[in-house]
Amino acid sequence: MKTELTINGTQHKLELDPRTTLLDALRHHLGLTGSKKGCDHGQCGACTVMVNGRRINSCLTLACMHDGDEITTIEGIGQPDNLSPLQQAFISQDGFQCGYCTPGQICSATAMLEEIAEGWPSHATEDINDRPSLTVDEIAERMSGNLCRCAAYPNIVEAIRKTAEESA
Amino acid sequence: MRPFDYSRASSTADAAQQAAGGGTFIAGGTNLLDLMKLEVMAPDKLIDINRLDLSQIEETSDGGLRIGALVSNSDLANDTRVRRDWPVLSRALLAGASGQLRNKATTGGNLLQRTRCLYFYDRATPCNKRDPGSGCAAREGFNRILAVLGTSEHCIATHPSDMAVAMRVLDAEVETLKQDGETRRLTLDALYLLPGDHPERETVLEPGELITAVVLPAPIKDAQQTYRKVRDRASYAFALVSVAGIVGLKDGRISHADLAFGGLAPKPWRNAEVEELLIGETPSETLFDKAADILLAEAQGYGANDFKIPLARRTLVSVLNELTKEASA
């Protein structure tokens, strides 16, 4: 199946078995191994990428369904000598131990902060007709699709909160 | 994953035609691909409907909303009209899944998602829904999350959707397109089948029949809406019991009472007798307890899910207390 994907601003033309998930296309066909395979069933969030600006689980979608789409992976969010503010905050707040879930956490949080900026409500929002505020409860609820087996949650929340505060 | 043919549909008519030779529509794919990886589902042909023009939310002439089948769960929950006039729907959507999944999952797909019964997922065990006639391992197994109402001796699966419970309480109707080009509208009650002798049949949709939209009637005035979800963890878990309620009070008496339930049955559950009992009455614990008696008169637990019967009672009473207090305040 011919599929064209724009990944981190670069266009890629691929010929894929239709069974190839977006995650496998990124990791196995394009060598972009920043996105991680945890559960491969949409439960852990380690594979989170952004498609046309929105975070999704790349393990639960087929690459061929995204012909023509723009994809941002952790490699596009920042590089070792050019970290994004969230990446820097995960380091300074010690927001990880083993680091396996971290690319997914950062992709998810990057998109999540955009969602808050656009005024999306969440299950934790008291008045869904009002603009949400970035409380710890809001962050925890909005990040519940990203699991961390090392349980670095308090520091992940802190990294996200600090980043949002500093950009405000 | 088993091999399959993949094609993209260019229009709803094209989708229907492509499905003529058998085929499964894929939209968000968040449930279908999960099941295909486990080979619980193994379609020969996937018809990708993501390019169809079904992503609009439009106002209808009678003050309702027509929600395209491909509107994502996020977009529907965030729609300012839904948040203002049908808050029970926003709340139910936001109580379901995770941020990533809501971005991908669609309105039509959410309605058609499959049960999360452990034995439906586990191909090493019998399941009448996955493999008709093989038996039901859930009745005597780990059935904590399974149904207490509307079950049959062949299946005790629950419908897992939160959104569908809100759609049911709002009297939403599903619009479909059949292969022969005919369209029809179905209430959610009519859409879903109870398991009976054929738990493998979950809806009345014919092969190749495509959900194109869900239509909400005009908002209900002078009533409070809520969606209460009780689950094993605070976020990203399926409902053990959920209650969608729209209740109004007039001169101290209940003037409006719509109630739908999730986590209890093979489809979003509603019981007209419960609502009839409440209408015209003064709110009280005794009255709410009677409502729960009616709701749960035929409830049957299977061991590990026995707790759902008292849990459903308490959740219903609590929701009725909340909605009648707020309305009178």
Side-chain angles (χ1 to χ4, degrees), chain A residues 145-159:
Chain A
N146 290 85
L147 305 188
C148 172
R149 286 293 294 272
C150 309
Y153 296 112
N155 294 356
I156 292 172
V157 170
E158 202 46 27

Side-chain angles (χ1 to χ4, degrees), chain A residues 21-23 88 103 120-122 158:
Chain A
T21 61
L22 179 58
L23 176 62
Q88 187 57 57
W120 293 21
S122 85
E158 202 46 27

